[in-house]
Amino acid sequence: MAAADRQRPPFVAMLRDSALAAVVAALLAVPLLGVRLVDNASGLTLDRRLPLVLYAAAAVFAGRLLLSLAGRYLAPSLRGMTASLPGMPRNSLVIFGWVLVAAALLLPWMPFAERNLIDKLTLILIYVMLGWGLNIVVGLAGLLDLGYVAFYAIGAYAYALLSMHFGLSFWICLPLAGLIAAMFGIALGFPVLRLRGDYLAIVTLGFGEIIRVVLLNWQAVTNGPNGITGIERPTLFGLSFSRAADGPTFAGFFGIEYAPAQRVYFLYYLILALAMLTTLFAQRIRRLPTGRAWEALREDEIACRSLGMNPVTVKLSAFAIGASFAGLAGSFFATRQGFISPESFSFIESATILAIVVLGGMGSQIGIVLAAVLLVGLPEWFRDLAEYRMLVFGGAMVLIMLWRPQGLLSRREPTVLLDPKPASAEATVP
Amino acid sequence: MTIDIFLQQLVNGLTLGAFYGLIALGYTMVYGIIGMINFAHGDIYMIGAFVALIGFVVLSTIGVVSVPLAILIVLVMAMFFTACYGWAVERIAYRPLRGSPRLAPLISAIGMSIVLQNYVQIAQGARTKSLQPIVNGQYSIDVGNGAHVTVSLLQIIIIVLTVALMAGFTWVIRSTPLGRAQRATEQDATMAALLGVNVNRTISITFVIGASLAAVAGMMATLYYGVIDFYIGFIAGIKAFTAAVLGGIGSLPGAMLGGLAIGLIESFWPVFFDLAYRDVAVFGVLILVLIFRPTGLLGRPEIEKV
């Protein structure tokens, strides 16, 4: 396509372009959408569905035409709108963040907050926390980790096994699970962290699969594919959230009527606290030497090495800290579900968490919240779509990436920069 | 391990290695030319398998009985349609992202992989599809002491076809204008563009070639295993990518060698150890190789400059 007619496509060129796209769509649709394999007693037969091919072609034609029309007549104003997003001053983002936190704290007291909504928000918050944790590894330290879910799984199983075999309570297991996940992070990271970016990605992906396969097959410890059931529920300073328990119950202690929703609300506040812990930790550590070292290493590894930094220990600290937050989130997941199995820790979870970090705009804490709501929240609300849900999920991932390749709210610049001399300062230099 | 078991597993491993090698070529070429992990490539292979299966059913419905003819027609058909998918995926999900942050195309690729999987699941149903064996012959070779090694005709076809494709492919890359353009783009896309190479078209062709090789692997899987579903692309893709990394990503002979290595590990592992942990072995070997040779078996060490 010549550059000239790309810039200002006349209507005819648009039509031709759309027709071409429709032909390609029809070609793509013919073998897979146009015929459907049907199992019969005599073997496979074919069910012809050629109208579907026509629908697909027509849809692509119309969509392509609309897109190019919109691109011509609406693009300038749209571009203005989206360009204003990253231009928001940092302060207003911080204020917006605290408003979000306040809203999250007050939400359960609102009249419209039924149990279902709180439950879904709890799920979203788990992913927000995982996103914030992974952001330490990917966003701050620049290490591409495709097997983050492994540490999440380790945290979940660590809690389940510790509480089952040693009768430890949730509050003792929680830090232990984080610690164990961090130890696994160090054990994996130590040999592989000197690899370059994409090699690291595939090794972490492989590690994630190894953990899943081991969980699936180590019957004696993990109970294999059946998973672990009856995981102990958390307590609030020893007050349990059940109707009747050996010890004091929450409802009994405060003299209020028992309601199953109380646990839901408690879990919501618990994950909110854990997530806040993650983000506040990340915000603080960015200003400490460790965090500065991560960002410096991400920007230029060779420069860092020549300044005497040891890249392996710096990366290892990021990897271990990221892993420990996944471990904490994992034990929360285990205690919320009361049941875990290897199925919950497949690669798609790693991909979702990474997508949340990248879509959010790496390094942006609020962007991650938005991305988690988009990727985890929306599909939850659209459960009616049933089998189309994952199709929409994947499509959304592609479309958001195409729309904003740098993420919803991009903030990847280093926290500290050399003093950017204003123009006036330069003028004063003799 | 007796000699007959050794030879038998060697034959099986070579067959398996042919699959992984063919898929790995697609990964390594794309990585070489635009530096991205094409996560959807495993699903392109899955689409190839489905198109091939549908092709076989279509041919048997219209009454083509000659097996070699059927295989040939299905091969061409699967390569063509799958190449269309490879081209479309690049055009839709990767080309607009050229020059954006490094992780953007990766996420887009993961999204595309999810889309393709679910598209096939919805269009063709979630249940596994099975095909009656079409190629049946097998040969029993006496290796002494009354021990036998069985080599099926299909295994011979697979290995011969793979070797032929790889030889042809190596020739294309080494000594045609297309291959030159590709290597030039790989080394320096901007410079290649300045010298008159159509970079966008070269990248598209890379995806088309990768997808058609994956389609061949898909057709062979349909014939060899006889059972496919919409999920086969994921694990095959991960292992083929592992093969590409093992061989040294960006290196074409490396991808073939890596595929072979993965195939042999997979076929020899169950002889000694628990089958359930086979995937652990594959990734374990990958981690070990990368620790001692961080650029893979045949990869060239990258010289880092400031």
Side-chain angles (χ1 to χ4, degrees):
Chain A
M1 194 188 304
D5 69 23
R6 176 183 278 259
Q7 271 167 2
R8 187 151 302 180
F11 193 65
V12 181
M14 279 185 203
L15 271 182
R16 204 175 51 201
D17 187 42
S18 310
L20 215 65
V23 170
V24 173
L27 262 183
L28 294 182
V30 161
L32 287 174
L33 211 55
V35 284
R36 186 186 170 102
L37 292 163
V38 187
D39 282 308
N40 274 348
S42 56
L44 287 172
T45 53
L46 288 176
D47 184 11
R48 266 176 296 166
R49 300 181 303 180
L50 289 178
L52 280 182
V53 177
L54 291 181
Y55 297 153
V60 167
F61 180 78
R64 177 87 194 175
L65 195 61
L66 281 177
L67 262 183
S68 32
L69 283 174
R72 180 154 188 212
Y73 297 109
L74 297 175
S77 50
L78 268 179
R79 215 169 288 139
M81 263 168 60
T82 51
S84 68
L85 267 177
M88 275 204 287
R90 198 182 174 89
N91 278 345
S92 73
L93 268 183
V94 172
I95 293 168
F96 180 59
W98 285 110
V99 169
L100 267 187
V101 173
L105 278 172
L106 292 176
L107 192 101
W109 306 93
M110 298 290 143
F112 58 84
E114 357 94 60
R115 192 181 153 166
N116 211 354
L117 177 76
I118 299 296
D119 222 25
K120 279 178 181 146
L121 286 177
T122 309
L123 185 73
I124 293 175
L125 278 171
I126 294 180
Y127 281 91
V128 169
M129 176 175 177
L130 287 168
W132 281 339
L134 183 62
N135 187 40
I136 294 176
V137 183
V138 180
L140 296 187
L143 305 167
L144 182 50
D145 185 350
L146 282 178
Y148 196 60
V149 76
F151 304 117
Y152 182 48
I154 288 168
Y157 272 87
Y159 168 57
L161 294 174
L162 283 174
S163 83
M164 197 167 74
H165 294 300
F166 301 102
L168 297 177
S169 85
F170 175 74
W171 294 102
I172 296 173
C173 290
L174 188 70
L176 279 180
L179 210 62
I180 292 171
M183 267 155 42
F184 270 91
I186 291 173
L188 170 72
F190 193 69
V192 304
L193 277 177
R194 61 203 184 97
L195 299 174
R196 278 189 302 120
D198 299 293
Y199 286 94
L200 184 66
I202 188 72
V203 168
T204 47
L205 197 163
F207 178 69
E209 281 298 298
I210 288 178
I211 293 291
R212 200 179 59 84
V213 171
V214 169
L215 291 179
L216 209 54
N217 290 300
W218 199 6
Q219 287 281 352
V221 172
T222 64
N223 199 20
N226 297 328
I228 300 175
T229 49
I231 298 168
E232 184 130 323
R233 299 308 194 129
T235 56
L236 177 69
F237 299 113
L239 302 173
S240 85
F241 287 89
S242 42
R243 187 178 291 281
D246 301 335
T249 64
F250 178 79
F253 186 81
F254 287 101
I256 49 177
E257 203 164 315
Y258 168 77
Q262 280 159 4
R263 177 187 285 145
V264 176
Y265 287 83
F266 170 64
L267 286 172
Y268 171 76
Y269 279 117
L270 181 58
I271 187 66
L272 188 62
L274 284 173
M276 286 312 293
L277 175 77
T278 315
T279 185
L280 291 178
F281 180 88
Q283 290 298 338
R284 293 304 306 164
I285 205 163
R286 276 177 88 152
R287 291 179 177 76
L288 296 178
T290 318
R292 299 257 153 106
W294 292 341
E295 285 184 285
L297 203 67
R298 177 192 77 198
E299 296 300 324
D300 194 336
E301 180 162 346
I302 299 170
C304 288
R305 260 191 296 185
S306 44
L307 288 173
M309 275 164 54
N310 180 353
V312 172
T313 45
V314 173
K315 287 180 183 174
L316 212 52
S317 60
F319 214 63
I321 288 171
S324 66
F325 282 116
L328 298 184
S331 44
F332 175 81
F333 176 77
T335 195
R336 171 178 180 251
Q337 305 292 110
F339 162 73
I340 49 172
S341 73
E343 222 173 283
S344 314
F345 308 106
S346 57
F347 169 72
I348 190 85
E349 298 296 317
S350 287
T352 309
I353 303 163
L354 184 67
I356 286 171
V357 173
V358 178
L359 290 181
M362 291 195 297
S364 162
Q365 310 281 316
I366 293 174
I368 286 172
V369 177
L370 293 181
V373 170
L374 270 179
L375 279 187
V376 182
L378 287 186
E380 279 300 308
W381 265 283
F382 289 104
R383 279 226 173 259
D384 309 341
L385 288 173
E387 54 179 349
Y388 293 96
R389 197 170 68 95
M390 285 309 285
L391 192 71
V392 172
F393 172 79
M397 249 159 101
V398 177
L399 289 180
I400 300 175
M401 220 63 258
L402 294 183
W403 173 48
R404 285 188 72 80
Q406 70 279 54
L408 294 171
L409 300 173
S410 66
R411 186 167 294 285
R412 204 192 145 94
E413 70 263 35
T415 314
V416 272
L417 284 172
L418 289 177
D419 194 13
K421 293 265 183 271
S424 57
E426 251 167 288
T428 59
V429 174
Chain B
M1 185 169 54
T2 51
I3 184 78
D4 57 329
I5 295 180
F6 173 79
L7 287 174
Q8 187 66 63
Q9 293 313 95
L10 191 67
V11 172
N12 295 347
L14 284 176
T15 317
L16 214 52
F19 288 114
Y20 292 138
L22 280 177
I23 308 172
L25 279 177
Y27 277 109
T28 214
M29 272 196 310
V30 166
Y31 190 89
I33 207 160
I34 51 175
M36 70 165 283
I37 303 173
N38 179 11
F39 238 97
H41 191 61
D43 301 289
I44 293 286
Y45 152 79
M46 177 271 294
I47 283 181
F50 264 92
V51 173
L53 178 59
I54 289 171
F56 281 120
V57 177
V58 167
L59 288 185
S60 77
T61 328
I62 60 175
V64 177
V65 282
S66 157
V67 172
L69 184 67
I71 289 184
L72 201 66
I73 294 174
V74 168
L75 188 67
V76 171
M77 206 180 100
M79 284 172 89
F80 172 73
F81 283 115
T82 314
C84 287
Y85 271 93
W87 179 85
V89 165
E90 193 269 338
R91 185 70 189 79
I92 294 169
Y94 308 151
R95 189 182 292 185
L97 288 175
R98 216 157 282 156
S100 42
R102 208 173 52 88
L103 283 183
L106 178 75
I107 297 300
S108 179
I110 294 176
M112 212 63 210
S113 156
I114 297 173
V115 167
L116 289 178
Q117 263 176 39
N118 286 279
Y119 160 65
V120 172
Q121 183 189 3
I122 292 166
Q124 297 295 333
R127 290 179 52 192
T128 51
K129 305 273 179 292
S130 54
L131 181 73
Q132 307 293 329
I134 295 179
V135 187
N136 285 318
Q138 60 178 31
Y139 306 98
S140 191
I141 300 165
D142 195 354
V143 289
N145 306 338
H148 292 278
V149 173
T150 315
V151 183
S152 70
L153 181 58
L154 191 57
Q155 284 178 322
I156 296 174
I157 294 177
I158 286 173
I159 293 172
V160 168
L161 190 59
T162 306
V163 169
L165 274 173
M166 283 179 175
F169 176 72
T170 310
W171 175 77
V172 166
I173 296 297
R174 193 170 290 168
S175 30
T176 62
L178 171 65
R180 261 199 302 284
Q182 219 162 17
R183 282 179 291 146
T185 310
E186 191 177 325
Q187 289 192 350
D188 189 336
T190 319
M191 194 65 212
L194 283 172
L195 292 175
V197 173
N198 187 340
V199 171
N200 270 339
R201 195 207 282 155
T202 310
I203 293 173
S204 281
I205 291 175
T206 305
F207 274 85
V208 164
I209 294 177
S212 34
L213 290 178
V216 178
M219 187 206 76
M220 298 191 318
T222 305
L223 285 174
Y224 191 61
Y225 296 111
V227 182
I228 58 173
D229 61 37
F230 70 96
Y231 200 63
I232 57 170
F234 173 67
I235 196 75
I238 285 188
K239 284 187 186 159
F241 185 62
T242 304
V245 171
L246 193 62
I249 195 152
S251 148
L252 299 177
M256 304 174 197
L257 185 70
L260 207 59
I262 300 280
L264 290 176
I265 292 168
E266 285 209 346
S267 68
F268 277 103
W269 178 264
V271 179
F272 303 103
F273 308 101
D274 186 354
L275 176 69
Y277 289 100
R278 196 175 57 185
D279 294 356
V280 172
V282 171
F283 295 119
V285 167
L286 172 79
I287 293 178
L288 282 180
V289 169
L290 287 183
I291 289 171
F292 293 109
R293 260 194 83 82
T295 49
L297 294 173
L298 296 185
R300 266 163 295 156
E302 194 161 293
I303 300 159
E304 289 179 75
K305 280 181 282 189
V306 180

